[in-house]
Amino acid sequence: MKVRTRSSAIIGALFLAVTLTLTTASADEPPAGPSAQVVLTEVARAQGPSAGAAGPDGKVWIAERAGTVRILGDYGLGDPVLDISDETTTDGERGLLGVAFDPEFAHFYISYTDLEGTSTIDEFAVADGQLQPDTRRTVLTQEQPYPNHNGGDIKFGPDGYLYIAFGDGGSGGDPHGNGQNLDTLLGKILRIDPRGGEPYAIPSDNPFVAQDGAKDEIWAYGLRNPWRFSFDAGTGDLLIGDVGQSEWEEIDWAPASSKGGENYGWSSMEGNHPFRGGTEPANHVPPVHEYDRSGLGCSVTGGFVYRGEAIADLAGSYVYSDYCDGTLRTLRIEDGAVTEEGDLGVEGGEVISFVEAGDGELYVLAIGGAVSRLDPA
């Protein structure tokens, strides 16, 4: 998951120790805009819901951290359609951490840590909306030196490629320097073509293809623990919630036109600020938004730009939260700059993830078990 203390955010059932409160921090703080009128409607209870994805027939599939996947129906969650609970563990920040469908709903992907802590991306074929267990294959693995900062989110981009988020490998302060090291997949967002080769292909236009000392899979780097990222369904822009070390939480942004290669600064930088005497890299891409841990939270949970129809006043706003604060907040971003900040006035508990349904409506997952839909008040 996304811990930011050096040691004990390696937690048991709740997975993060909390300390509270968030501040919108920016030297030139944009005006707080009027918030949309919303409520959170609990639609199901789960055992440690950790991630979700829009699936076939307009259904939302929900992953539970201990290793099960269940489909959300009219009367809550159904029986598991997948159970890998004997292949993963909830030690530290480990577990089943991400799920995704390809654009045709022909394949389902899971991101989890195995019993040794190795990050693993597996693929299943899907036929008539049904998972085909016998088709399972492993696409990619990455050893993790510590049981925190695993990242684990996966999404298909507008280009049809699979993007994978990995944290810097854990402990605290990036002791191995993985964030700025292009010779490791840790501290990165990757971009691969899972169906283009065995076990996958690398898009020829990835930014570091054929560069000496760099992994071809890398799309962006300089990330500490990009726990949740998303693509704007309206514009294709990429937004990353990157969990900070001890002072600053950040949200990073890249336009849909990006060719990749962005360096978001960790561990030379924490947000806009040099980390432990580090020097800002010449190619540093600063966050589009940051907030100070001393005021308003401890672990950013990235969300989605709202593109649903139920809440007209929310259209085009990026909705996000913080694990330790739980308040749902919004940003409006224009040309890579925040023009408006908002507070939706609802609190989702220990918000671990957001899910975007096929119709653009948003669901909020709290590690305590609540699966809630964001509805108009």
Side-chain angles (χ1 to χ4, degrees):
M1 222 222 106
K2 38 184 185 177
V3 178
R4 46 151 90 232
T5 59
R6 294 185 183 82
S7 52
S8 70
I10 302 182
I11 32 265
L14 289 180
F15 23 173
L16 280 179
V18 305
T19 54
L20 282 310
T21 39
L22 269 167
T23 28
T24 39
S26 166
D28 300 306
E29 203 168 292
S35 297
Q37 300 300 305
V38 302
V39 295
L40 279 175
T41 304
E42 185 173 309
V43 294
R45 299 291 298 180
Q47 295 295 316
S50 55
D57 303 318
K59 300 292 187 181
V60 171
W61 292 38
I62 300 292
E64 296 172 308
R65 185 179 166 227
T68 49
V69 177
R70 303 163 69 190
I71 299 175
L72 182 63
D74 293 337
Y75 302 101
L77 293 169
D79 293 334
V81 295
L82 179 66
D83 186 348
I84 62 161
S85 55
D86 60 347
E87 301 177 47
T88 189
T89 172
T90 56
D91 294 345
E93 297 173 3
R94 296 170 174 168
L96 178 54
L97 304 177
V99 293
F101 284 92
D102 66 16
E104 293 78 30
F105 300 111
H107 297 91
F108 181 64
Y109 295 83
I110 61 173
S111 172
Y112 69 100
T113 52
D114 70 13
L115 295 175
E116 285 71 47
T118 297
S119 290
T120 305
I121 311 297
D122 281 359
E123 174 195 87
F124 299 82
V126 178
D128 298 322
Q130 303 294 313
L131 203 67
Q132 306 299 302
D134 293 342
T135 66
R136 182 178 181 180
R137 73 180 186 98
T138 295
V139 176
L140 181 146
T141 62
Q142 170 62 50
E143 292 184 1
Q144 296 283 351
Y146 304 99
N148 61 335
H149 303 184
N150 301 143
D153 204 7
I154 51 176
K155 297 282 192 306
F156 275 86
D159 53 13
Y161 293 129
L162 179 63
Y163 290 72
I164 302 166
F166 285 144
D168 64 9
S171 188
D174 194 11
H176 302 292
N178 291 326
Q180 292 296 306
N181 181 6
L182 292 174
D183 196 26
T184 176
L185 302 183
L186 296 172
K188 313 297 190 295
I189 286 184
L190 316 181
R191 179 184 186 240
I192 66 170
D193 179 0
R195 301 298 301 168
E198 183 58 46
Y200 59 88
I202 296 170
S204 61
D205 59 348
N206 270 13
F208 300 106
V209 167
Q211 178 174 315
D212 289 343
K215 297 291 188 183
D216 293 347
E217 294 91 340
I218 296 172
W219 179 255
Y221 68 108
L223 294 157
R224 181 177 179 273
N225 193 23
W227 171 245
R228 291 290 172 248
F229 71 95
S230 65
F231 291 94
D232 182 343
T235 66
D237 298 344
L238 171 64
L239 291 120
I240 308 164
D242 193 22
V243 179
Q245 172 73 30
S246 56
E247 295 184 15
W248 297 96
E249 298 300 306
E250 72 180 82
I251 294 168
D252 299 305
W253 174 90
S257 60
S258 170
K259 303 302 182 183
E262 287 86 358
N263 177 7
Y264 293 111
W266 178 256
S267 57
S268 297
M269 305 289 289
E270 185 180 8
N272 285 305
H273 314 272
F275 179 71
R276 293 182 180 171
T279 300
E280 183 174 14
N283 63 343
H284 177 223
V285 177
V288 71
H289 181 68
E290 65 176 12
Y291 59 85
D292 183 352
R293 184 187 182 194
S294 68
L296 243 163
C298 81
S299 187
V300 64
T301 300
F304 290 86
V305 175
Y306 179 76
R307 296 296 179 185
E309 297 183 355
I311 312 168
D313 289 342
L314 198 57
S317 290
Y318 177 68
V319 182
Y320 69 102
S321 189
D322 186 287
Y323 180 84
C324 297
D325 172 78
T327 302
L328 270 57
R329 292 183 166 81
T330 62
L331 302 174
R332 285 193 179 272
I333 300 170
E334 296 180 11
D335 298 322
V338 173
T339 59
E340 184 181 288
E341 299 176 22
D343 181 337
L344 292 178
V346 293
E347 199 271 341
E350 292 163 318
V351 176
I352 207 71
S353 194
F354 290 82
V355 185
E356 183 180 45
D359 59 3
E361 301 305 327
L362 297 184
Y363 292 80
V364 180
L365 307 184
I367 195 60
V371 177
S372 303
R373 187 179 58 237
L374 193 61
D375 287 335

